Amino acid sequence: MKKIILMGRSECGKTTLTQALKGEHIEYHKTQYINYFDVIIDTPGEYIQTKQLGYALALYAYEADIVGLLLSATEPYSLYPPNITCMVNREVVGIVTKINETNADPKRAERWLRLTGCKTIFFVDSKKQQGIPEILEYLREEGDVMPWEK
């Protein structure tokens, strides 16, 4: 499978998405440092929210095949500037999280991610496993056996 690094502000759902992609029981815990898994790199939100730590994300992106920019559908604003994807020499996908929350606006989040330059957008509710198979399929490489194919 292709390796993906998940980036986004605190509480946008990076760790919950990581657990869902790994097929684990969803349990909230605060990510304190960069976590490496087989094909997922989970990053703390503070890295993208703090200018000095943000530079480190640029370096960590080189260890992945795909950069996943997460944006919660409940956010009142986007942390990402327009056309930011051209700054990365990796494929960048958008992932809209928390799509089923009461105050969610997935279409607004999608517009903001498209403004960054994301051409591929996934809509995810990690707790309900919605959108998880689509991301796994996107990360699949020839010869990969997916969990549902075993």
Side-chain angles (χ1 to χ4, degrees):
M1 290 187 84
K2 298 174 199 151
K3 185 177 275 193
I4 187 169
I5 183 168
L6 303 176
M7 299 181 185
R9 73 169 215 82
S10 296
E11 299 182 20
C12 72
K14 296 178 303 296
T15 300
T16 303
L17 176 59
T18 297
Q19 292 170 351
L21 289 170
K22 292 171 59 183
E24 296 178 349
H25 172 73
I26 304 293
E27 181 178 311
Y28 178 78
H29 69 84
K30 174 73 184 104
T31 302
Q32 299 293 323
Y33 47 86
I34 304 284
N35 289 301
Y36 288 85
F37 302 103
D38 290 337
V39 295
I40 305 167
I41 303 171
D42 184 14
T43 65
E46 290 79 10
Y47 276 58
I48 205 159
Q49 293 170 239
T50 308
K51 184 179 180 182
Q52 291 78 9
L53 293 173
Y55 296 124
L57 284 180
L59 295 175
Y60 285 110
Y62 286 106
E63 298 185 29
D65 302 305
I66 298 172
V67 174
L69 295 182
L70 275 73
L71 185 62
S72 168
T74 62
E75 287 296 326
Y77 63 90
S78 175
L79 189 66
Y80 310 114
N83 301 314
I84 193 70
T85 61
C86 66
M87 303 298 286
V88 182
N89 69 351
R90 300 281 185 271
E91 181 180 0
V92 181
V93 299
I95 302 172
V96 178
T97 60
K98 302 183 182 184
I99 60 172
N100 293 316
E101 297 289 320
T102 306
N103 58 339
D105 189 345
K107 290 296 178 192
R108 179 181 60 197
E110 177 186 15
R111 283 192 310 271
W112 287 337
L113 287 169
R114 292 216 184 274
L115 282 173
T116 69
C118 293
K119 291 179 178 39
T120 302
I121 309 277
F122 296 97
F123 296 89
V124 173
D125 182 329
S126 296
K127 294 176 183 172
K128 295 182 179 180
Q129 290 291 305
Q130 188 175 349
I132 301 304
E134 290 82 357
I135 294 174
L136 288 172
E137 188 63 37
Y138 193 79
L139 297 175
R140 180 201 289 240
E141 293 183 299
E142 190 175 326
D144 287 343
V145 177
M146 304 312 275
W148 55 85
E149 297 174 334
K150 292 181 181 178

